[in-house]
Amino acid sequence: MTYERLPYDEASTTARMTSDARAAGAVLRAAVRPAPSIRYEDYPHDLPKPTLDVSEAASRLAAALHLHLD
């Protein structure tokens, strides 16, 4: 769909403006997603904590730099 009316042109007919509005509404309805839930019950309470694996080489490098990776 292209829009050819320039800002200084006369307004279109009411029938054309109505059809343009209906077409825009159809496109906007297709793009609308439902809002995410804000209910407390819809989210898990105990999420697993991520684990980090520190290689032996990284441990030696951290020790040489006096960093503590416990």
Side-chain angles (χ1 to χ4, degrees):
M1 187 169 123
T2 60
Y3 192 68
E4 300 174 9
R5 182 174 165 230
L6 298 174
Y8 48 84
D9 280 347
E10 291 296 321
S12 296
T13 63
T14 54
R16 179 158 180 184
M17 289 190 287
T18 302
S19 68
D20 287 347
R22 285 190 179 135
V27 170
L28 291 175
R29 270 191 296 281
V32 172
R33 292 181 289 171
S37 173
I38 59 171
R39 293 172 39 113
Y40 182 76
E41 298 84 21
D42 292 339
Y43 292 94
H45 301 284
D46 295 326
L47 298 175
K49 304 293 185 247
T51 58
L52 298 175
D53 295 325
V54 180
S55 66
E56 187 178 331
S59 295
R60 285 194 310 256
L61 183 60
L65 295 172
H66 303 291
L67 301 175
H68 301 285
L69 297 177
D70 295 342

